[in-house]
Structure formats: C-alpha cells, structure tokens
Amino acid sequence: MTMDARKAARELLLRHSMHPELLELPAIVRDFRVEMLAGCEAKPSSLGMFPAYINTASAPAEGKVLVIDAGGTNLRLARLSYKDGTLSIEEMKKRSMPGTGGAVTADEFFRTLAEELLPLCEEVERACFCFSYPSEVLPDGDGLAVRLTKELCVEGLPGMRLCAPLEDELVRLGAPGQRRWRVINDTVSTQLCGMAQNTEPCDDHIGFILGTGFNMCANVDSALLLKAPAAAGLGSSCIVNFESGGFGRFPRGTADRELDAASDAPGAQLVEKCISGAYQAPLLRQTLLLAIREGLFSAEAAALIPSLSLTAAHVSALAEENAPCVFP
C-alpha cells in the first residue's frame, strides 16, 4: 500500500468516524459503568446484567454430567465424570450449531440437541447447558433465551425456557432417568474455569470472550443487584453476565451503522457488530463499499469488490503492517 493510499484510507476512516484515534476510552469506560449500574437496578440499560445464580460451594464431590456448549459456530456435547475436583471427558462430539446454516424452528432445535445427547445419558443425573447467547438465568437453574445474536436463526426460541423443553424431548426419546439442569453463559464458564485453574493470588476473576461474539462477566456486589433479590442468598457477591455485546453507547461510524441496518436484528448487539469475529468480514465489505462510493478505487476494482466473498483471512491480511493486495 503506497503512502498516498494510506493517507487516503486514514482520511476516509477519520471522515466517517471509523478511525481508532477517535475513541475516547475514559468516556467509554464511564458510559459502560453507568449502563452496568442501571442494568443491576433493572433500569433501562443496553447491558443485561444477568445474575448466574451460581454458588461454587454447592458443587457435588463426584458424579457424571452432560454438558452442552451451544456456541456461535459449533455445537459441542459431552459426558464428563468428576471426582474429588478432577474432571475427565468420557465422550464428546461436535457438529455445526443448528440455526447457523439456515432457519430452524424451536422444536427442531430441541429435537436435534436431544437426538445428539441421547447416547450420552446413561448414569447421568446432572446436566449443564452453556448457551452463548443472551439469556436470563432463573433461580431454579433454567434459563430464558432473551434474543439471538451472531445471525443465529431459531424461530420461536426467544422467550422460551432452554432446559425444560430439552428434558421433555429427551424423555420422549426414551432417555433413562431424569436430569437436574443448569444454564450458564459461555463467559461465565470461562470465569469459572479461570477460578478453578488459577493458583496464583489475585484480587478477583473476570470472564472475557472475544471470538464469534463479545461478552464479559465478573463478580458483582450482591447489594447492587436490586433486580435480583434471590442473588443475595448466594453470599456477598454473585457472578453476573453483563451481555456486554449489547452495549449501546459505544461510538460508531458510518460503516458500523450501515452494517447494523442491514443485519437481521438492527439496533441490537451494537458494540459486538463493531468488534467481534462474526462481523469483521461484513464490516470490511461495508467499509470497502464506502470507499467505492467516495471514489478511492479504480473503476475496475470498484466493479470487482462488491462480488468478492470476503473472509476473516482477508481481514487478517489487511491488518498486516505492509499489507499486500489480498484480493484476486
């Protein structure tokens, strides 16, 4: 990339509020804190601030457990055995997440999960559903799907419980026994893993995800959780899932706003659409289209770019210090 091209690209990003130099981090941190406190108090907020209702002191000493990792791209299912704090994987399988390759109904979603889990159900009394999308965990351990993100499409799932219909489907398919379920968020599971594995003294732990999506969680003073009085029964603090991908006060530029408007859920997950992996290639495309509109490309390149199939590899290549032309 020539110096003139770099200058033109920089001026384009500055002109459309897309350049990182324009970010005022202290102001963003202040706004994030305001949204956190509002979410804890059930006031209008772009952050969900959902308590996880987890008390690690109540974990059983041994047994077997089913685990589901419903991620932004993959669905992983496994049966684990644990004894004296040590976990071992007895069996594990992976497939694409239902609803990522085309719309499915909620009934189809739960049927797929149950069919995959059925061979793993022997001698299992506990099950954990790690749901990597906004969900509100209930005091009984189940969770409500709040909304779907990362372009997942499961018709009818938002507003439904996650565990009860899955258990019903397992029973219908003939699964032995009955399982005690708990929903957690992938960010919460990350924090719990860090707490279990860290042997060094530290002030606290947080969970942080920046992959297909974006989220974080942390221990929050139970006295601040006015929206969830039941959390106070867990002690002085409770793990809270921020659902930070929905942060709505992050400064956005022209391409960010155009990408959001063209997404399947305009107005939702605003900061996630600015920074997470699921949106990097579409955001690159939107920025290139913006540059085409402003005449930064030749007529030949302008005709070629809209038809390109952009991927994360193109994003990575363009991020190099001396980025070559990565397009055919």
Side-chain angles (χ1 to χ4, degrees):
M1 184 181 290
T2 67
M3 188 60 67
D4 286 345
R6 289 178 182 275
K7 180 180 178 182
R10 182 175 185 277
E11 290 177 349
L12 174 78
L13 296 177
L14 288 171
R15 192 160 57 249
H16 289 277
S17 301
M18 297 290 297
H19 202 287
E21 290 179 4
L22 300 175
L23 294 178
E24 298 181 10
L25 292 181
I28 295 171
V29 170
R30 182 191 64 239
D31 290 343
F32 194 87
R33 178 179 174 81
V34 169
E35 293 287 285
M36 284 175 59
L37 293 174
C40 286
E41 297 174 1
K43 295 178 180 177
S45 172
S46 58
L47 299 179
M49 303 304 292
F50 297 126
Y53 294 107
I54 288 179
N55 185 344
T56 55
S58 65
E62 61 182 49
K64 295 186 179 183
V65 60
L66 287 179
V67 292
I68 304 173
D69 176 17
T73 303
N74 296 309
L75 173 68
R76 296 179 177 88
L77 310 102
R79 182 176 66 231
L80 310 180
S81 64
Y82 53 100
K83 185 173 182 179
D84 300 327
T86 300
L87 279 173
S88 61
I89 299 174
E90 293 189 347
E91 189 172 349
M92 184 173 71
K93 57 176 74 174
K94 183 178 80 170
R95 53 154 291 163
S96 60
M97 181 69 175
T100 56
V104 298
T105 66
D107 287 344
E108 291 170 332
F109 177 78
F110 288 118
R111 186 180 309 120
T112 299
L113 265 60
E115 289 172 348
E116 296 283 356
L117 282 173
L118 187 61
L120 308 177
C121 286
E122 291 291 337
E123 301 178 357
V124 173
E125 296 181 352
R126 291 174 177 263
C128 182
F129 194 155
C130 179
F131 189 66
S132 303
Y133 302 85
S135 60
E136 182 177 359
V137 177
L138 305 174
D140 65 4
D142 205 341
L144 295 175
V146 175
R147 62 182 177 276
L148 302 181
T149 61
K150 294 165 277 196
E151 309 303 301
L152 181 73
C153 188
V154 182
E155 297 170 352
L157 188 61
M160 288 186 64
R161 281 181 174 251
L162 293 166
C163 298
L166 178 53
E167 177 65 20
D168 289 344
E169 188 64 22
L170 281 169
V171 171
R172 190 188 70 79
L173 292 175
Q178 188 172 14
R179 287 136 296 275
R180 178 182 175 186
W181 287 87
R182 175 167 291 279
V183 169
I184 63 172
N185 179 268
D186 61 333
T187 318
V188 174
S189 69
T190 299
Q191 179 176 338
L192 292 173
C193 287
M195 293 170 64
Q197 295 183 17
N198 180 44
T199 58
E200 300 296 325
C202 62
D203 294 331
D204 209 341
H205 295 82
I206 65 170
F208 181 79
I209 297 289
L210 182 56
T212 306
F214 163 64
N215 196 14
M216 63 182 70
C217 69
N219 294 305
V220 173
D221 187 341
S222 297
L224 297 175
L225 293 171
L226 303 183
K227 67 183 293 181
L234 298 175
S236 60
S237 66
C238 175
I239 297 177
V240 172
N241 166 23
F242 293 2
E243 284 303 336
S244 53
F247 180 50
R249 299 173 69 170
F250 188 82
R252 298 183 299 145
T254 303
D256 296 314
R257 292 191 294 271
E258 291 178 349
L259 173 66
D260 173 52
S263 71
D264 67 350
Q269 301 299 108
L270 294 181
V271 71
E272 186 169 86
K273 291 170 182 172
C274 293
I275 65 175
S276 74
Y279 295 98
Q280 286 183 359
L283 187 59
L284 171 59
R285 171 182 293 280
Q286 206 65 46
T287 305
L288 291 172
L289 292 176
L290 185 63
I292 289 173
R293 294 204 302 265
E294 300 216 356
L296 269 66
F297 288 96
S298 66
E300 292 80 8
L304 173 65
I305 288 174
S307 63
L308 289 178
S309 178
L310 299 180
T311 67
H314 291 114
V315 178
S316 297
L318 285 174
E320 296 293 332
E321 180 65 24
N322 296 305
C325 179
V326 297
F327 306 115

